[in-house]
Amino acid sequence: MSSPLPTPAAPIGRIPVVDVGPTVEGGRWPTKAVVGEVIPVRATVFREGHDAVAATAVLTRPDGTDHSRVRMVDVSPGNDRYEAWVQPDAVGTWTFRVEGWSDPYGTWSHDAVLKVHADVDTELMLTEGALVLEQAATDPAMTEQHRRVLADAVLGLQDSSRPPAARLAAGTSPEVRDVLSEVPLRTMVSASAAYPLVVHRPRALYGSWYELFPRSEGAHRDPNTGVWTSGTLRSAAERLPAIAEMGFDVVYLTPIHPIGATNRKGRNNTLGAEPGDPGSPYGIGAPDGGHDAIHADLGTFDDFDAFVDRARELGLEVALDVALQASPDHPWVAEHPEWFTTRADGTIAYAENPPKKYQDIYPLNFDNDPDGIYTAIRDVLQVWIDHGVTLFRVDNPHTKPLPFWERILADIAADHPDVIFLSEAFTRPAMMRTLATVGFHQSYTYFTWRHSKTELAEYFTEVAGDSAAVMRPSFWPTTHDILTPYMQQGGAAAFAIRAVLAATGSPTWGIYSGYELAEHIARPGAEEQIDNEKYEYKPRDWERAREQFGLTTLLTMLNRIRRDHPALQQLRNITIHPTSDDATLCYSRRIRAEHSPTGKEDVVIVVVNLDPFTTRDSLLHLDLAALGLTGQDAFAAHDELSGETYSWGANPFVRLDPWGRSAHIVQVRPS
């Protein structure tokens, strides 16, 4: 088998442009963005000698026309590293490139200032300046106002009756520099390659997810017989108004398919199910159907359609769990035994993730009849897309081959570009990143296990950095599978703290139903809830949640704040600010006016007490430049959680108590 050859390298440009980013494997896969996302384009641009160089980032639409051209800024003087921020405004496959160019005006103005002040070649320098400006004025992009500014400058440079310093000032005035910043004189233009940029709809980056098990909503137990009656899709729909009222954008359903009886798990993952135990919804498949069917207890496709319709009425999208595995009773097992792994004793291998064992689940073997498996799964996804599902949360995608994912995600994207896939891959970094690279829109993350100030600061910086070119993080404080020791031990305060971090640390976040009740009791020896909803019905007292814990109110406030602040809807715009206390974390997000959908700059500072047991005092050491406050000593800090407004400077003092006020979410209002 021959290996593919690398693309022949293009000759180096007259003005070299190298190390262009963000790119993925040199452009083998596209960089990702969403409509309205602000994306940094970076490159190293230089030339021989000492003449000035500059660079432009060019964003090109799917139809091949240039969308925008942004003058790049030297962000690392001495290292020739340039940066600009671009912002696509439509879904599709875009490209971007960097153009390096010689800057005759920059060269002249630098040299002229030095020489005229030293009275070296004064008349020659002023004459050359006039020629440069005359050349610049011939650019067709110049407006009449631009040309008038340059013409006046040329006259000033040529006016020998004035002192040399005054003539020089005419050619280097702020007005002239503004014109040539807007329409620069560019020579020796050298373009980089065009790199792919796939742009998705905004929900691929920004959204608030709410997970529920439909069978628990409306489930009830007969007090006389002890027999449970399952909730249905119709009763689950009754929960939707409350979810929408809290400000969530997506309601995510765990699997709703028939559940196998063979090796069905009982309560708390016991091996033997008792009569009436519903089993894990991840043990998919029974004689009455598999992944393309609905559990009879939940209802019919008409009921599902009604659920989707009600969600849409309330502004919610519906996400469905995709778990590519089968119970021993799944129709695939009888019809296609070759799709599974047969062990030496003739039995089919069940799923394992030592020490965890899943005797009720058979993993698919993608090496046996990969085309047959592909076709079956593609058909399954189409069923749910046809019934209004617009997002899929994919269970354990890292246990399936990457070529399968690359193929099927591209196939779905071609036919249904609005459909979004969330990767539930709590696994090694290389696999998580590559799943994102080959097409997953979002990914679960290690946020769930990052708790200290240092861990969180480093992780927030990491997910907003280079990895943001492909992997969009989704922050979840808990899931139906995960309840960390921090959440077990910290009580309601821990739930409040982690909600603030998740909602402001990533544009996409989610909670698992029951979060409002601070459900924190773990099954002994496990990092998951006792009486786990995966194995039993779990109706909840939502009124008690609202009255007792206050988390419903907090979740509602967080989602409102996220909607109100465009800065919190971006990923790559985070700054970590030092604090004097080792359990107080401070970070900010900023979007400039020219990039904001409101046309106004938006800056938000988040300060969180990470200690769920103790009140913490801290000084904040704010980077005022990062907040857009250069030159200001004080500013108004409006707390979106409390409604109070403080006067803050570069080093404000904060006191945060985990049971009352565990965080500030501050809107910066310049004084």
Side-chain angles (χ1 to χ4, degrees), residues 109-122 124-125 128 168:
S109 62
H110 173 270
D111 293 348
V113 168
L114 295 176
K115 288 188 175 184
V116 171
H117 287 169
D119 195 20
V120 175
D121 296 333
T122 297
L124 177 61
M125 294 306 300
E128 288 181 344
L168 175 65

Side-chain angles (χ1 to χ4, degrees), residues 608-654:
V608 187
N609 174 5
L610 306 176
D611 183 347
F613 306 107
T614 310
T615 297
R616 309 294 295 222
D617 296 343
S618 182
L619 285 175
L620 313 180
H621 303 296
L622 300 176
D623 180 344
L624 296 183
L627 301 174
L629 297 173
T630 304
Q632 288 192 218
D633 295 326
F635 62 93
H638 177 73
D639 192 333
E640 295 278 23
L641 289 173
S642 69
E644 298 172 293
T645 301
Y646 320 107
S647 178
W648 278 9
N651 300 287
F653 169 83
V654 297

